[in-house]
């Protein structure tokens, strides 16, 4: 086996050096964390499910013309991705009130928002990913205005597209989180979608029963996380080897 240089270990993934310049390998772990890693566990098979589900969604996003870092799935736990300079901002998109916005603004969970709400958080675990305004992003140079415009437009298109995709399989897309990065292509800087899109960073409710089919099953000790992720994969038509 070839020794690979580990570059970064996050809460749910590890990033290794890639086989060619400008590439990386993204490894999906079984670790589950919540509340800035105050709550932790290992859920056997979660990483494999997220690898396959995220592959499926990234390919679909590419098909609507939004560039992503995804190049190919290498095996059950790894993807080859483009090396990006990650923009240190998490973009949270909300269609229905759930999670942190409820106590923050005194809103009841499940209330449909009159329009799509886009929030920004600084990607900094030490600070607990604080919510920020678009102006902070420009003021502190985390992205420039052109980049922020691309991020905002891509985010809204991804939301429209994924809302429809999940609606088609009887699932409500309540909210999700995106990350973007920049890459030099020829003589210009391109902004690409990064990270993953999986039930770890989306809230997905069954359209009939409103049953939670995402990481809230872990955050709220509801149990049945693997069954829920398997059901999402099954409805998307993604076949995933059972590693649980
Ligand atoms: P929140 O309600 O906790 O702010 O989360 C909103 C959405 O963003 C939800 O789908 C989970 C996702 N998310 C992440 O993927 N990573 C994070 O660190 C946080 C806080 C939320």
């Amino acid at each position: 086996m070839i020794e690979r240089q580990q570059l970064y270990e996050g809460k749910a993934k590890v990033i290794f050096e890639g086989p060619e310049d400008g590439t990386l390998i993204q490894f999906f772990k079984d670790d589950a964390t919540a509340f800035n890693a105050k709550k932790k566990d290992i859920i056997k098979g979660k990483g494999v499910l997220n690898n396959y589900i995220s592959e499926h969604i990234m390919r679909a996003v590419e098909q609507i013309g939004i560039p992503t870092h995804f190049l190919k799935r290498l095996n059950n736990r790894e993807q080859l991705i483009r090396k990006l300079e990650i923009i240190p901002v998490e973009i949270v998109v909300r269609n229905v009130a759930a999670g942190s916005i409820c106590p923050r603004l005194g809103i009841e969970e499940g209330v449909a928002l009159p329009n799509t709400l886009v929030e920004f958080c600084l990607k900094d675990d030490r600070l607990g990913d604080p919510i920020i305004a678009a102006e902070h992003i420009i003021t502190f140079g985390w992205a420039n205005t052109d980049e922020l415009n691309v991020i905002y437009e891509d985010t809204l298109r991804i939301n429209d597209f994924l809302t429809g995709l999940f609606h088609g399989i009887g699932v409500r897309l309540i909210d999700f989180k995106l990350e973007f990065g920049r890459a030099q292509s020829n003589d210009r800087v391109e902004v690409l979608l990064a990270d993953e899109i999986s039930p770890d960073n989306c809230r997905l409710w069954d359209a009939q029963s409103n049953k939670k089919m995402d990481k809230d099953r872990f955050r709220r000790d509801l149990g049945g996380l693997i069954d829920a992720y398997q059901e999402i994969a099954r409805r998307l038509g993604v076949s995933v080897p059972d590693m649980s």
Side-chain angles (χ1 to χ4, degrees), residues 58-76:
M58 287 287 182
R59 285 184 190 279
V61 167
E62 286 270 357
Q63 288 211 327
I64 61 161
I66 294 176
T68 79
H69 72 163
F70 179 83
L71 294 171
K72 68 172 177 179
R73 187 174 51 75
L74 297 171
N75 54 49
N76 283 343

Side-chain angles (χ1 to χ4, degrees), residues 90 92 94 98-100 129 175-177 201-203 219:
E90 299 191 345
V92 173
R94 299 184 189 275
S100 68
D129 295 347
D175 60 29
F176 58 99
K177 187 258 305 187
N201 55 10
C202 299
R203 283 197 174 89
R219 293 189 190 96

Side-chain angles (χ1 to χ4, degrees), residues 3-121:
E3 259 307 292
R4 281 197 315 245
Q5 167 105 30
Q6 180 175 318
L7 301 177
Y8 170 80
E9 177 154 13
K11 289 181 291 222
K13 295 190 287 296
V14 185
I15 302 293
F16 296 95
E17 196 174 68
E20 288 134 40
D21 269 4
T23 67
L24 298 172
I25 292 169
Q26 170 167 264
F27 177 98
F28 288 76
K29 301 192 284 185
D30 283 340
D31 301 55
T33 68
F35 315 115
N36 205 10
K38 284 189 198 81
K39 181 178 168 79
K40 284 194 226 184
D41 205 350
I42 292 184
I43 304 181
K44 206 156 163 260
K46 178 176 79 74
V48 176
L49 279 153
N50 284 346
N51 184 18
Y52 279 81
I53 293 171
S54 190
E55 172 193 12
H56 180 84
I57 295 178
M58 287 287 182
R59 285 184 190 279
V61 167
E62 286 270 357
Q63 288 211 327
I64 61 161
I66 294 176
T68 79
H69 72 163
F70 179 83
L71 294 171
K72 68 172 177 179
R73 187 174 51 75
L74 297 171
N75 54 49
N76 283 343
R77 288 196 181 268
E78 293 177 321
Q79 299 181 349
L80 184 68
I81 57 171
R82 275 183 73 176
K83 183 177 192 167
L84 304 183
E85 182 189 351
I86 291 294
I87 294 170
V89 175
E90 299 191 345
I91 294 93
V92 173
V93 183
R94 299 184 189 275
N95 298 308
V96 173
S100 68
I101 196 171
C102 295
R104 176 161 30 97
L105 300 181
I107 302 169
E108 198 185 326
E109 180 168 271
V111 173
L113 301 173
N115 52 263
T116 300
L117 181 63
V118 178
E119 295 177 336
F120 302 104
C121 297

Side-chain angles (χ1 to χ4, degrees), residues 45-235:
K46 178 176 79 74
V48 176
L49 279 153
N50 284 346
N51 184 18
Y52 279 81
I53 293 171
S54 190
E55 172 193 12
H56 180 84
I57 295 178
M58 287 287 182
R59 285 184 190 279
V61 167
E62 286 270 357
Q63 288 211 327
I64 61 161
I66 294 176
T68 79
H69 72 163
F70 179 83
L71 294 171
K72 68 172 177 179
R73 187 174 51 75
L74 297 171
N75 54 49
N76 283 343
R77 288 196 181 268
E78 293 177 321
Q79 299 181 349
L80 184 68
I81 57 171
R82 275 183 73 176
K83 183 177 192 167
L84 304 183
E85 182 189 351
I86 291 294
I87 294 170
V89 175
E90 299 191 345
I91 294 93
V92 173
V93 183
R94 299 184 189 275
N95 298 308
V96 173
S100 68
I101 196 171
C102 295
R104 176 161 30 97
L105 300 181
I107 302 169
E108 198 185 326
E109 180 168 271
V111 173
L113 301 173
N115 52 263
T116 300
L117 181 63
V118 178
E119 295 177 336
F120 302 104
C121 297
L122 178 63
K123 188 174 159 61
D124 186 328
D125 284 341
R126 279 178 317 139
L127 300 176
D129 295 347
I131 189 162
I132 52 173
E135 281 82 352
H136 291 90
I137 300 174
I138 304 300
T139 299
F140 294 104
W142 293 316
N144 65 34
T145 309
D146 288 346
E147 290 169 338
L148 195 52
N149 286 338
V150 172
I151 289 172
Y152 195 73
E153 276 171 28
D154 283 359
T155 295
L156 292 180
R157 283 191 62 214
I158 292 168
N159 182 47
D160 283 349
F161 173 68
L162 291 185
T163 297
L165 184 135
F166 282 112
H167 178 75
I169 59 164
V171 171
R172 298 173 70 198
L173 178 61
I174 304 299
D175 60 29
F176 58 99
K177 187 258 305 187
L178 299 176
E179 293 182 26
F180 289 84
R182 50 177 85 85
Q184 189 76 37
S185 45
N186 301 323
D187 54 351
R188 61 184 201 94
V189 176
E190 195 187 6
V191 172
L192 295 92
L193 180 65
D195 193 42
E196 66 178 286
I197 302 183
S198 73
D200 262 19
N201 55 10
C202 299
R203 283 197 174 89
L204 303 169
W205 295 0
D206 178 75
Q208 300 271 304
S209 64
N210 277 332
K211 183 183 153 190
K212 297 183 197 306
M213 304 177 77
D214 56 63
K215 206 172 88 176
D216 271 349
R217 301 212 69 81
F218 166 72
R219 293 189 190 96
R220 301 181 187 195
D221 293 321
L222 300 172
L225 179 138
I226 291 294
D227 284 351
Y229 284 32
Q230 280 173 340
E231 176 63 12
I232 293 291
R234 192 191 66 75
R235 291 194 200 179

